[in-house]
Amino acid sequence: MDKPVDVPCPNLRQDYKCRIHDSLAEKGFSGCVRYDCLGAGQIVTQELYRGIGWRENPAQFAPMMDAFRKAREVQSLRAMLTAAARFPLSEAENAMRLELLTACTPSEEWSISWIEGILSGPLPTDVRNFVASLKHHIERPG
């Protein structure tokens, strides 16, 4: 399906669940099958908006979508750092990984200002540079 960004899927039920979830692949929705919000949807709906969705308050649709994109970006940083633990990291590398992971995790509650602060600072670049520095752990074929 080709639809504009920030337009709800027509398969979304009133309770925010997918009408065709059990048959996504058969109906040609392979993108939906592969997509992972990395927990950003739950952060936005449960933490930032306390369970009040855009159907209950249509004016918050655009801010929720913006918050979702930003929360997913933070969750992507966290996912990279979590995945890096699978490598045989040195003590120093693991210490850096844990330091960055802690910096990507709110010490209290999630908030849009905390998320925006993370994304506007050096942390995203620091995480990507750290992950790139681990390429020596990847075995090269032959």
Side-chain angles (χ1 to χ4, degrees), residues 75-87 89 94 97-98 101 105 127 130-131:
Q75 288 294 85
S76 176
L77 298 172
R78 296 178 75 220
M80 285 188 275
L81 293 166
T82 299
R86 296 182 189 136
F87 291 124
L89 302 177
N94 195 50
R97 182 188 74 80
L98 292 172
L101 187 57
T105 306
V127 170
F130 170 73
V131 170

Side-chain angles (χ1 to χ4, degrees), residues 20-101:
I20 62 169
H21 183 74
D22 293 336
S23 59
L24 285 170
E26 299 84 48
K27 294 187 185 276
F29 287 81
S30 59
C32 293
V33 172
R34 288 188 310 270
Y35 184 76
D36 184 351
C37 77
L38 304 172
Q42 291 82 354
I43 289 168
V44 171
T45 59
Q46 296 167 16
E47 303 279 334
L48 300 180
Y49 286 89
R50 305 285 184 226
I52 300 176
W54 50 266
R55 285 208 168 106
E56 293 83 8
N57 183 359
Q60 71 187 31
F61 179 79
M64 283 184 92
M65 295 303 106
D66 184 57
F68 172 77
R69 279 188 288 282
K70 291 172 180 171
R72 189 175 189 288
E73 194 170 339
V74 172
Q75 288 294 85
S76 176
L77 298 172
R78 296 178 75 220
M80 285 188 275
L81 293 166
T82 299
R86 296 182 189 136
F87 291 124
L89 302 177
S90 69
E91 202 171 301
E93 288 171 331
N94 195 50
M96 176 57 72
R97 182 188 74 80
L98 292 172
E99 181 181 322
L100 290 167
L101 187 57

